[in-house]
Amino acid sequence: MTKRRRRALAAALSALGLAAALKGAAAVRDAPAPAPAPAGPASCAELSPAALRGRRIFHHGALASGEPVEGRLGASGAALHGKAAACAGCHGRSGNGTSEGGVAAPPLTPEQLFAADRAGGAYTAETLAAAVRDGRAPAARELHLVMPRYRLDRAHLDDLHAYLRCVGRDADPGVSPEALRLGAALPLTGRFAAAGAAARDVLAAAFAEVNAQGGVFRRRLELVVADSEDTLDGAAATSRLLDQRVFALVGSVWSGDGDAAARLAADEVPLIGPLGSGLPASDPGDGVVFHLQPGLDTLARVAVAHLAGAPAPTGAGALLVVHPAGPRGDAFLRGARSEALRRGLPAPVSFPFEPGRFDAAAAADAAARLRPRAVLLAGEGDELSRWLAAPSPSTTRPRPALYAPAFLMRRDPGSLRLAAAARLLLVHASPTDEAERLDLLSLSSFLERHRVPPRHTAFQASAYAAARVLVEALKRAGAHLTRPGLVAALEELRGFDPGPGPAITFGRNRRVGAYGASLTGVDPASNDISPVSAWVEVVP
């Protein structure tokens, strides 16, 4: 039951009086036990368009148009909208019923609703419409007040009726008793082809290892790869995979394209461990895309947390955040500001630039005028290299400390020398300690065992971690596998170790698996990159 539904239920119980509410609950519990479930009809193996629309109403409280379902507790009780109005919130994802706070929500399985010998008579399309809209069961019995009265037209009621004939035994696309079809959009041609092939080979090897052990609930995992061609966007390839009816996406390139995101959400297709887009701008809070690494806002927060623990130079001013305009850069600035406020530091100063038009000299001049305590630099390409190569404005003060996401750093000798001179600290989305080194050794052992050549390590490590998270969630989701069930299993992961990368924790309103980062610096004597801090956790 959702939090909003629980609050509305509490208000309803208070208004009615506990004794009356429990009396109604007892009446609900007295419904006859369902008959043994027959084998599901063939029509439930692949839901009709009407049943698919009905499932959105049942699980998400949403119409096919995306509009939220609306309901009310009783004739004039609390209003419910969207997810809070979803049938599954009280009756369970499989329609088996739940009990909470002394009130039981009865089963809504086909055997319970449509059995010919059901006490009071089997539900029909007409009596179901009366129950959903007016709160009247067959034989005119009034349903409990905490059963919402929904505003649904006849077409929507017919959709819900179609799904209720299959709830609990419906099969999502890509699911069969023998196999589970999973997709990945990866670049297999063009300039990123080698990286895409490296990720594909790791996913294939991980699934082969699971299949050799009997699969997951005796289902073998099948990988379908769509070529995203010369791009790390993946939107068009993702659409092709959905047309091929894959169950979920894993280790797939992703840029957050709006149309692709809308289709994933509409079809309820989870994407686990997206690759190729750098890092998420921030935690989206819900949805079907599960990121394994922290967002740019978290990297900025860790940089500020590390800076707050160091002594401030005499006369140092506020932080300067140099960032691209747009959602990702704005998230970086937002993270720096929120952590500075939390640490009692002055509010950072923003220096935005248009993506692809970074003026390093102008940014350096701004830093010379501001005399900041440190500079936090975000970007999408060569911004860090251009900052390091820009001539320093004439000043007797030492250059401020510089923090930047590690993925911006080039590892050639010249860049490393400049980084050392600039007192650069790199913020990593993964741990850099001994435990992570052992995880990478484990990955190397996996690659050797499956005769996969090590290459494009970042892509291989990310694909391996995504596969491990997916397989763990599939095991937790159970034998009756649905997309909502997989999402629920992912939401229950707490501190799961995927191998390479940080431990993963998701939740109902958390879609970024890690809130922390680690830092490295460049030794001026050796120009080697070495750890500066262990994993630094920040509060979500």
Side-chain angles (χ1 to χ4, degrees):
M1 193 179 295
T2 65
K3 290 182 180 178
R4 187 173 179 185
R5 180 75 68 85
R6 285 198 292 269
R7 288 197 296 267
L9 172 59
L13 293 181
S14 176
L16 286 173
L18 183 59
L22 293 180
K23 180 179 179 181
V28 173
R29 284 199 196 92
D30 290 339
S43 60
C44 290
E46 187 168 316
L47 295 181
S48 68
L52 286 171
R53 295 191 296 269
R55 187 171 67 174
R56 291 200 73 197
I57 296 172
F58 185 92
H59 286 292
H60 298 284
L63 305 178
S65 64
E67 296 177 81
V69 169
E70 297 182 7
R72 188 171 292 278
L73 296 177
S76 58
L80 300 171
H81 303 274
K83 190 76 171 180
C87 311
C90 286
H91 295 279
R93 292 182 178 273
S94 296
N96 290 322
T98 63
S99 179
E100 184 172 345
V103 177
L108 297 183
T109 59
E111 298 77 30
Q112 178 70 20
L113 294 180
F114 305 115
D117 59 351
R118 181 183 181 278
Y123 273 93
T124 65
E126 293 298 330
T127 57
L128 182 68
V132 172
R133 283 198 300 211
D134 305 322
R136 293 197 319 273
R141 180 175 64 85
E142 187 162 354
L143 295 176
H144 197 283
L145 182 62
V146 297
M147 165 65 186
R149 278 55 170 167
Y150 290 96
R151 295 180 57 186
L152 293 171
D153 63 27
R154 188 51 195 248
H156 297 139
L157 289 166
D158 288 344
D159 291 342
L160 182 60
H161 180 223
Y163 180 63
L164 288 175
R165 288 194 170 276
C166 286
V167 66
R169 58 192 186 191
D170 51 313
D172 279 340
V175 180
S176 74
E178 300 82 22
L180 180 64
R181 190 163 61 250
L182 302 159
L186 293 167
L188 301 179
T189 55
R191 55 185 164 157
F192 304 113
R200 175 203 60 197
D201 293 346
V202 166
L203 291 172
F207 292 172
E209 190 166 88
V210 171
N211 292 339
Q213 298 168 2
V216 179
F217 292 104
R218 299 185 180 180
R219 290 189 182 98
R220 68 181 182 277
L221 307 184
E222 297 179 347
L223 178 64
V224 180
V225 180
D227 185 5
S228 67
E229 300 175 343
D230 193 22
T231 177
L232 296 178
D233 179 286
T238 294
S239 181
R240 294 198 302 274
L241 287 168
L242 297 184
D243 290 342
Q244 295 179 62
R245 301 180 63 77
V246 298
F247 173 74
L249 301 176
V250 57
S252 195
V253 293
W254 179 250
S255 67
D257 175 82
D259 291 341
R263 184 167 180 193
L264 286 184
D267 291 351
E268 306 174 275
V269 182
L271 166 55
I272 298 97
L275 308 179
S277 60
L279 302 169
S282 57
D283 194 330
D286 55 15
V288 293
V289 182
F290 289 81
H291 298 271
L292 303 191
Q293 293 189 326
L296 286 168
D297 52 343
T298 299
L299 298 193
R301 292 183 60 194
V302 169
V304 174
H306 179 265
L307 184 70
T314 304
L319 308 178
L320 175 64
V321 182
V322 181
H323 63 96
R328 289 168 62 79
D330 292 346
F332 191 75
L333 174 64
R334 188 167 59 249
R337 284 180 169 169
S338 67
E339 194 66 22
L341 177 64
R342 183 170 176 269
R343 302 278 176 172
L345 299 177
V349 176
S350 168
F351 184 93
F353 58 88
E354 289 299 317
R357 301 177 65 181
F358 176 53
D359 188 336
D365 286 341
R369 291 192 303 271
L370 182 65
R371 295 185 176 184
R373 180 173 176 180
V375 175
L376 276 63
L377 172 66
E380 304 288 345
D382 65 350
E383 292 87 356
L384 177 58
S385 296
R386 294 166 68 181
W387 173 278
L388 295 175
S392 299
S394 57
T395 175
T396 58
R397 293 174 53 85
R399 297 177 70 173
L402 174 64
Y403 292 82
F407 62 80
L408 293 178
M409 181 64 195
R410 292 168 55 183
R411 302 304 178 98
D412 59 88
S415 296
L416 292 171
R417 283 194 299 272
L418 291 171
R423 301 168 57 205
L424 172 65
L425 292 171
L426 298 170
V427 191
H428 296 255
S430 294
T432 57
D433 56 11
E434 179 65 15
E436 182 66 6
R437 189 184 71 82
L438 293 176
D439 282 338
L440 289 174
L441 288 176
S442 175
L443 172 61
S444 297
S445 176
F446 168 85
L447 296 176
E448 183 177 353
R449 188 164 65 249
H450 291 277
R451 299 181 180 179
V452 176
R455 50 181 178 159
H456 296 279
T457 306
F459 258 55
Q460 288 185 318
S462 296
Y464 182 65
R468 282 175 52 85
V469 170
L470 169 67
V471 170
E472 177 66 19
L474 289 174
K475 291 176 179 177
R476 298 188 185 202
H480 178 68
L481 185 60
T482 65
R483 287 167 172 166
L486 177 60
V487 168
L490 287 163
E491 290 176 344
E492 293 170 359
L493 290 182
R494 299 290 184 273
F496 175 72
D497 181 7
I504 300 301
T505 295
F506 293 122
R508 287 182 65 89
N509 292 299
R510 175 169 167 168
R511 292 297 186 267
V512 173
Y515 276 91
S518 54
L519 290 98
T520 60
V522 182
D523 186 332
S526 64
N527 285 336
D528 288 335
I529 295 178
S530 57
V532 169
S533 79
W535 184 257
V536 178
E537 196 86 18
V538 293
V539 178

